[in-house]
Each structure stands twice: as C-alpha cells, then as structure tokens.
Amino acid sequence: MEPTAADHPREPERWPEDPGAALEALMDAYGTAVLRLAAFYLRDRARAEDAAQEAFLRAFRGWAAFKGRGSAKGWLLRITANVCRDELRRRREEPVNRFPEVAVESGGDPEEAAIARLEGARVLGHVLALPAELRETIFLYYYFDLGTVEIARTLGCAEGTVRSRLARGRRHLKGALEGGRAR
Amino acid sequence: MMDREDRGGLTEARERELRRRLKEEADAALFSGLAFDAPLRAEIRRRAGLGRSGRRRVPSWLGWAAVTAGAAAVLAFAVAERGPLTQPARPTPMAAEAGLPEAAVSNRAAAAAPARGGPEADRARAEHLAVGASTTVDGLTLTVDDILLTERETRVAFRIAGARAPASFDLFLVVDGERRASLDLRYRETGGEIAGEAVFKPGSLPARSLALEMRGFSGRIEGRPVAAAGPWRVGIFEKSR
C-alpha cells in the first residue's frame, strides 16, 4: 500500500512559537489529514474545505495557548472534529451510512463514481455500515492513527468508552476480514 | 497504542490488516482526488491575515491584491490577444533563473519551490510558479494565482473576482498556441469570489508559451447575472529566443 500523507506527515522536530509559522508547519504536516477528517464527517468536498479552513484558523488563534505542547496532530484533529460536529449540529444532520459525494470529479455522476469506487472495498464498506459512534471511533483509531486517550478527548467521552467501542467495532469487522459476512 | 485489550476476536495480524486495508480502501474510494491544494492554503492564509510576514511564503493573493489596487508593475510580455487588459505581477530574479524571461514569477516561487514536499516535489523537473496575472473582459476578472508545471500535468489555481457559485465556464490551457481542455476542474465560492484549480494533461514541460483561457462564463458577478462568451486569456509566460 502506498503510504498516505497521514502516515508520513512532515512534522517539524520543534514547532515554531510564532503562530504564522506554526500555521504553515501545521498545514504542511496535517493539511491532508484535516481535510480528510472533515470529509469523513461532512461527506461533501466544499463543506470539508470550509471546515478545514475553520479548523486551521482556530488552531492559528489558539496556538499561543497550545505552544506545541502535547500532540499537535491530536490537538488539530480534535479541533477539526469539533468544527465538523458543530456544523452537523447546526444543520441538525445525523451521520448517515453512506458517502454520496466526497471527491467531486468533473464529468459523470459523482454519486455513481463514489459507489463504483466502493465496489471491492469490502473492509471499508463494513466500516461505513457500522453504527455512527463505532464507525467514528474505528476511523479515528485505524485510519487517523489517534490513540484511545486522544479519541476520548476528541469525542468527549471516557477512554473506557472508546476501548469498548473499538472492541465492538472489531467484532463487527472480524467477519469482513475473514471473508465472510460481518456480524 | 493499546496492547492489553479486547481485540474483539482479532489477532494482532488481523488488526494490522484491518488498519492497512481501511487506509488503502478509504484512500481509493472515499478520499480520491481530495487535495489540500494551493487555493485552500491561500484562503486560510488570507483569513488568518498572513501573507506579508509568512514564514517562508508570500501568498499568491498578494499578486491579486496588487492588481486590484492598481499597484502592480506592468511587465513587457503579453500573451493575451487583442482586447483584454493583462496585468501581470511584478517580475523577480526568479524569472531568469527559471528560464522564463520577463515571466511573472513571484518571490513566493523562489521561497516555496525548494521547501515543497510530498508527491509534487517528487515530480521530475517540476516548476512551481506563482503569477498573480489577470485579465479583465466585460467586467469579469480572471486571475491566475498559482501554477505547478510538470511533464505529466499542469495545475493552475485561479480566481474569478466577484463571482458566486454556482457558475459554469470552460477553462483551457494554451500551450504553444494549442488549446487544451481541463481534465479536472474544481472551484468553490470563498470570500465573495470563485477560487479553484484546474488540471491539464499531459504536462506543459517543455513549453515556450503558456496561457490560461476561460470561455463561456455563466453565473453571477457581484450579484448580477452574467452570461458572456469571452475569451478571457491570461498570459502566464512566453519564452523569448
């Protein structure tokens, strides 16, 4: 598998103190991850880009308080998740089990293209079919490589809840990995 | 991460497989084509009020700001055909270094090119230009913010001042006089204008002249409906012998 930008971020050895320089470094290291997390929540390219903008602006404004202490990735993705969840709440939208349009391409029907891309993506299909709270946890843990503590802080729940959700999610996905039906 | 915990019946090997396949399948199916691109970065910088004191980049919208303020110096080159008023950004020593005499290459290119990473940096012979050149026809201004030239593809970040989504238009890259249609065209409304990115293939290296052309705009500009044929042609560079 080709490594993704999220796997190998260009994270500096030491984060700059200046918020402007930090913003550049954060965009270099985690721009793709932030945009993908926003797309995961909002399932729409334009809205994901708006959310990514807002997340980086909040990080820029809050950099003086954060100052690179702790995991910048966890902090930034937590901001991004909060921006997206606020957006969903504002629109009174509930997470749904499909991605009608994430990557918009010129020509053709974006929904058909998305469905076509999903064909053959068996593990992903099972993950997307999970209940919202399991799907979110599984994605944050396995795709975005956040730890259970970071996920708990992101979702505003206890770490034990995260572990429990991960265990339930794994049980659901065991069948998909073994070639059978997911339970 | 976590070792002693309920793996839901998964072995460690299965769990590694789950992580690998989820990333692989999500990248291919969900996030394909989703890029943290130049217009998005530029918009974040603009909203953060950065630009003049950025760590290493002078954002491309500075070129646009200079043009709109009427403060841009006029270069000697003009790829534009009759009619449009072309206002390229000021020249810099980078123009000569890039082998593009009198091309509109901003300081940003000099600063950003060595620092760029990721897949773009891996592309052989990539030339990263930021131009800020624009053209105005029928009250509609098309600006070229940023260009990445490679042998495989050419990516152009552009803006249409005052335009609101939705809008329809065609973009072409004119390479050595030959017009190519965009293979991928994306835009969004942001800050009261349309900003987007167009991808053209094959790439444009080597090329002696390059221009971006827009035709058939239909949409709203500053709230009023506009339907105009154009063309709007922005000269990007023209090499002299």
Side-chain angles (χ1 to χ4, degrees), chain B residues 89-103:
Chain B
R90 60 191 170 81
T92 75
M94 260 302 285
E97 290 175 20
L100 308 173
E102 298 181 339

Side-chain angles (χ1 to χ4, degrees), chain A residues 40-41 43 85 95-97 123-144 151 155 157 160-174 182-183, chain B residues 2 8 18 22:
Chain A
F40 169 75
Y41 276 107
R43 293 141 206 160
R85 291 152 72 91
V96 292
N97 287 334
V123 170
L124 176 65
H126 281 81
V127 171
L128 295 182
L130 291 172
E133 73 274 12
L134 300 189
R135 180 176 67 234
E136 185 177 41
T137 307
I138 289 285
F139 240 92
L140 289 173
Y141 188 79
Y142 287 111
Y143 186 87
F144 291 103
I151 295 173
L155 302 182
C157 63
T161 304
V162 173
R163 290 175 179 272
S164 167
R165 287 178 183 174
L166 283 172
R168 285 163 57 203
R170 291 184 189 112
R171 276 193 288 275
H172 277 280
L173 297 170
K174 186 168 180 283
R183 288 183 289 156
Chain B
M2 49 189 181
L18 169 60
L22 181 59

Side-chain angles (χ1 to χ4, degrees), chain B residues 106-126:
Chain B
S106 79
N107 286 326
R108 177 170 180 251
R116 283 184 80 86
E120 288 175 347
D122 296 333
R123 292 172 189 158
R125 299 183 61 200

Side-chain angles (χ1 to χ4, degrees), chain A residues 10-78:
Chain A
R10 285 167 283 152
E11 184 170 326
E13 290 183 9
R14 189 167 180 273
W15 290 98
E17 289 188 10
D18 174 66
L23 175 64
E24 291 289 347
L26 286 170
M27 290 196 294
D28 280 347
Y30 301 121
T32 299
V34 165
L35 185 59
R36 288 181 177 182
L37 182 59
F40 169 75
Y41 276 107
L42 301 173
R43 293 141 206 160
D44 177 271
R45 177 188 167 91
R47 289 172 66 191
E49 289 181 344
D50 287 347
Q53 285 186 30
E54 184 60 30
F56 276 112
L57 286 173
R58 288 189 192 181
F60 171 69
R61 293 173 192 135
W63 185 255
F66 176 68
K67 288 180 179 172
R69 290 190 294 262
S71 162
K73 178 183 177 183
W75 177 69
L76 185 58
L77 292 186
R78 190 161 69 246

Side-chain angles (χ1 to χ4, degrees), chain B residues 164-214:
Chain B
R164 299 300 173 93
S168 67
F169 51 90
D170 292 317
L171 279 183
F172 302 90
L173 190 68
V174 185
V175 183
D176 296 339
E178 177 189 340
R179 185 181 296 116
R180 298 177 188 165
S182 59
L183 287 185
D184 192 6
L185 173 60
R186 300 151 189 262
Y187 73 86
R188 66 182 181 281
E189 181 186 322
T190 176
E193 62 185 359
I194 280 177
E197 185 179 64
V199 179
F200 303 90
K201 290 185 178 180
S204 304
L205 287 177
R208 300 207 63 80
S209 69
L210 205 63
L212 182 72
E213 185 176 287
M214 180 172 74

